[in-house]
Amino acid sequence: MYRPIDYPKKITEKWLKKAFAPLTDYLESHYPEEKSKMLSYLEFMFCENQRYYYRNWYTKGSIAFDLTGQVVVCDKDALRCDFQLPEFVPVDRPPKEERFVHPNVTRWVESKLNPRQEKQFGEWVRIFLQEYWGPMVNFHMEDLTIGYPLKRGAFPGCLYVYPSEFRSLMVFQFVGDEIVEMKSGLEEYRKFQDRERDLTVNGWHAVTIYPEVLEQDADLFRDYLRKATQLALPR
C-alpha cells in the first residue's frame, strides 16, 4: 500500500522516492530491462483521489495507479520510450548585423522589453517574431502583450508574450537557461511546471521557446506553430 502525498514546500530526494514509488515498483516488476529508459521519459504529475498520476513528457500519455499499486489508467503511449528522433537541420542564419528585421518587429521589441528582458531574451524574441510569428500575422504586432495571461503571477525565469486579439488562446513562453538546464534546482523547475500546467488547464496552448528551438529545423517548428494555433481553445 502507498500513502497519498502532496507537493511539499521543498522537494527532497526522500519525497521524490515516495512520489515515484508506485511507478518504479511497477516498472521493476513488469519491465525490469527497460525501467531506467522508461523512467527518463516519465514525470510525476500529482496524487489526487487516492491515485498517483504520471505523464510521458514526450508523448503526453498518462499512467495512473491506485494506492495498492494497481494500474487504473494507462494510455497506449504512456510507457513508450523507443523513439527514433528526427535528425535536425541547423538553421543557416546570416550574422546578426546582416539580418533584415521588419520595422514592426524592431519597434515592438524596443518599446516593450525592459533592459533586463532585452539582455536575456531580446535576440530570441527578434528571431521568433521575424522568422516565425511575424509572417503568420503579416507582421501585425499591436496586440502582443508581455505578461502571464492568468491572474497567477508569472514565473521569474521566463518571458511570457501572448497575442491578446488572436483567434485562439496562445502564449509564447521564452524559457531562461536556469530553467532549461535546471540551474535553479528541482523545486524551481516544479514551480515552472505548475505555471505551464495552469495554462493548459485553462485552455491556453503554451509554445515553449529557447535557443535550441530557434536554431534547428525551422520548417518543423513553423509546422508545429501552425498546428498549435489549432490546438488552443478559441477566444
Side-chain angles (χ1 to χ4, degrees):
M1 288 289 292
Y2 304 96
R3 294 183 178 181
I5 61 171
D6 294 315
Y7 268 106
K9 292 183 178 180
K10 183 176 182 180
I11 293 176
T12 63
E13 288 296 325
K14 183 178 180 180
W15 180 86
L16 284 172
K17 287 182 179 180
K18 290 182 179 179
F20 279 89
L23 176 63
T24 302
D25 292 344
Y26 175 80
L27 295 181
E28 181 65 41
S29 174
H30 293 77
Y31 304 95
E33 295 182 359
E34 298 178 282
K35 170 188 168 185
S36 296
K37 191 173 182 180
M38 287 180 173
L39 282 172
S40 68
Y41 283 93
L42 291 161
E43 58 182 349
F44 173 77
M45 298 298 291
F46 48 81
C47 183
E48 190 174 84
N49 298 325
Q50 298 191 331
R51 293 182 177 184
Y52 282 72
Y53 289 85
Y54 306 88
R55 182 180 68 172
N56 186 308
W57 60 263
Y58 190 83
T59 67
K60 308 304 181 186
S62 298
I63 183 171
F65 301 86
D66 63 20
L67 298 185
T68 68
Q70 295 297 309
V71 176
V72 291
V73 175
C74 186
D75 295 336
K76 64 180 181 180
D77 55 358
L79 300 179
R80 187 181 171 191
C81 61
D82 56 338
F83 302 106
Q84 294 293 327
L85 299 179
E87 183 177 347
F88 290 113
V89 180
V91 176
D92 185 14
R93 186 175 289 122
K96 181 178 179 180
E97 58 275 8
E98 297 178 12
R99 294 179 211 155
F100 170 76
V101 180
H102 195 285
N104 288 353
V105 173
T106 300
R107 189 179 302 113
W108 188 89
V109 171
E110 291 180 351
S111 64
K112 299 296 184 179
L113 299 188
N114 62 38
R116 182 189 63 80
Q117 293 167 336
E118 165 65 35
K119 181 178 180 180
Q120 185 174 9
F121 302 106
E123 181 64 7
W124 313 357
V125 173
R126 285 184 182 86
I127 291 174
F128 175 72
L129 295 181
Q130 174 63 34
E131 300 180 14
Y132 299 97
W133 185 248
M136 289 183 63
V137 295
N138 199 26
F139 290 95
H140 290 161
M141 308 288 175
E142 294 84 357
D143 69 328
L144 282 182
T145 303
I146 291 180
Y148 191 71
L150 303 179
K151 291 184 178 180
R152 188 175 183 181
F155 187 78
C158 298
L159 173 69
Y160 297 90
V161 179
Y162 65 95
S164 60
E165 298 177 7
F166 193 63
R167 62 179 180 272
S168 54
L169 299 175
M170 298 279 297
V171 58
F172 312 120
Q173 52 179 10
F174 295 84
V175 185
D177 290 342
E178 61 270 26
I179 301 301
V180 175
E181 301 175 10
M182 294 187 68
K183 294 178 180 178
S184 56
L186 184 58
E187 185 175 356
E188 290 299 300
Y189 184 74
R190 292 295 187 188
K191 291 179 181 178
F192 162 72
Q193 287 184 312
D194 286 344
R195 297 294 194 279
E196 195 172 38
R197 192 177 301 116
D198 287 346
L199 290 169
T200 301
V201 169
N202 284 277
W204 289 80
H205 190 92
V207 176
T208 302
I209 302 168
Y210 49 92
E212 287 77 7
V213 169
L214 302 178
E215 296 297 332
Q216 297 181 333
D217 214 326
D219 289 338
L220 184 64
F221 185 60
R222 288 191 185 97
D223 185 53
Y224 161 70
L225 194 59
R226 283 191 292 268
K227 290 179 180 177
T229 63
Q230 301 169 7
L231 293 173
L233 290 179
R235 288 188 180 279

